[in-house]
Amino acid sequence: WFQTLYPQKPDLGYAAGLVSRENPEQLIIALEPEAASIYCRKLRLHQMVDLGTQTTQNGFSPNENVGGGMSPAKDHVRRNRQSRTFLVENVIGELWSELEEGDRYVVMDCGGGTVDLTVHQIRLPEGHLKELYKASGGPYGSIGVDYEFEKLLCKIFGQDFIDQFKLKRPAAWVDLMIAFESRKRAAAPDRTNPLNINLPFSFIDYYKKFRGHSVEHALRKSNVDFVKWSSQGMLRMTPDAMNMLFKPTVDHIIQHLTELFEKPEVSNIKFLFLVGGFAESALLQQAVQNMLQGRSRIIIPHDVGLTILKGAVLFGLDPSVIKVRRSPLTYGVGVLNRFVEGKHPPEKLLLKDGTRWCTDVFDTFIAADQSVALGEMVKRSYTPAKPAQQVIVIHVYCSEKESVGFISEPGVRKCGTLRLDVSGTESTAPRREIQTLMQFGDTEIRAMAVDVSTGRTVKAGIDFLSH
């Protein structure tokens, strides 16, 4: 459940040599929730356990082994007789056959650093996906459990010691966190036996030098009675103690999921696809089941950690499967408009060559949370403030707010620039027309400015994913 970092196309994609700036379209960025969604809808329902109804699928009873790759989830749902969790493996019989036109489902991508939620809808006959609710989430990944463990160590051994140990013995600190990683994977709601975490010898030795007494002494003196020192030289945690380390992170996830299901566009959800490495956690699975209370079926692929990777491959083979996305931000350009008394604030008035202009106007191309079809084009026409202008500069701005009046408002930031050199060109038109076009729907906005009279064009790419 370690956090994975992915390169962004505008920067590392070029630096890594994956794509050239001359041909940026050669690299396609797959959004993680969409990749998971694409893969999950192609899953097959052979080896599926429905413990809510105790059904048998394709000759397998719920008590039989249904395959490897997801043992924590598999064992948990086998034990939980009220479960609405389905274990899915891509073998025989397709989930696609259960999906109908208009069916809605949630993809819950639980990674190391973040948890992201997206709502998709099926559009037949091609089976295209429509994004009903833009990807949202927060820093509630499994790394939060690691932070809680570190806080527990600080409570037992002291913040000053832990800070010094991390600084002076970094390799041993990594060994300790790896040991904790294997134990946190074994945490389960109905576990009764303790979890032993091996302390590196370097930790024990350095603590003795730092404090002048033993690790065992520190544990006896601490008021943490649910962590003991085993005779084998290990930290021994009760199952409840381990479960408490999960609670803050899991509570954040459930709160976010609850808020999502309260939104009007998130109704009649047929499936919830639980994917990502953290989805293996039986504690998280149970919390999600308790929150949903049977309102939708929970689907967990056996190869849950590879779901996004496999979905990204499928997306690369057919990017057109995603037809409609929600814009994460409001996008527009900064322009001058004729000043209108009573409408525009006096501080925005600019008097130039006898003409009264309103500065800093945000001309919206697309609003945040607006549905946008793949390849949808928005076009605007502008006239240079001065007929003799040699260079036309158009700044593209974005904001998280749906309604933006001026580029000077809080939260508005510049995300791209179109610089059109019109020097050395002559136009016979009485008014020079500059067209600005933005193409939305892909993971990168394609912005373009065109001098209509001469056909001279400049282009820019803007990251459609960035917040």
Side-chain angles (χ1 to χ4, degrees), residues 4 30 41 83 136 152 163 179 229 245 285 330 391 415 423:
T4 305
R41 76 190 186 107
S83 172
S136 68
L152 177 63
D163 288 344
W229 179 249
L245 298 183
Q285 291 167 24
T330 295
V391 177
C415 59
S423 61

Side-chain angles (χ1 to χ4, degrees), residues 9 14 21 24-25 331-334 363 365-366 375-380 382 393-398 414-420 434-451 456-464:
K9 176 159 66 168
Y14 298 128
R21 295 185 183 275
E25 66 281 353
Y331 292 92
V333 299
D363 189 12
F365 275 60
I366 190 170
E376 184 172 328
M377 185 81 73
V378 180
K379 186 188 299 184
R380 296 278 193 280
Y382 303 108
V393 179
I394 299 170
H395 296 301
V396 182
Y397 295 87
C398 60
K414 189 191 300 183
C415 59
T417 299
L418 293 163
R419 184 182 178 86
L420 185 60
I434 305 298
Q435 278 190 354
T436 301
L437 304 93
M438 283 193 220
Q439 189 175 36
F440 295 92
D442 204 346
T443 54
E444 192 173 65
I445 297 169
R446 292 173 176 83
M448 182 189 312
V450 182
D451 183 353
R456 186 170 289 188
T457 303
V458 291
K459 299 178 181 179
I462 300 158
D463 186 5
F464 190 50

Side-chain angles (χ1 to χ4, degrees), residues 22 59 92 132 188 230 252 258 271 327 356:
E22 292 74 28
I92 305 169
L132 294 181
S230 77
H252 276 302
T258 301
F271 300 112
S327 178
R356 291 158 57 87

Side-chain angles (χ1 to χ4, degrees), residues 11 18 131 294 297 388:
D11 303 312
L18 296 175
E131 186 180 68
R297 291 162 57 187

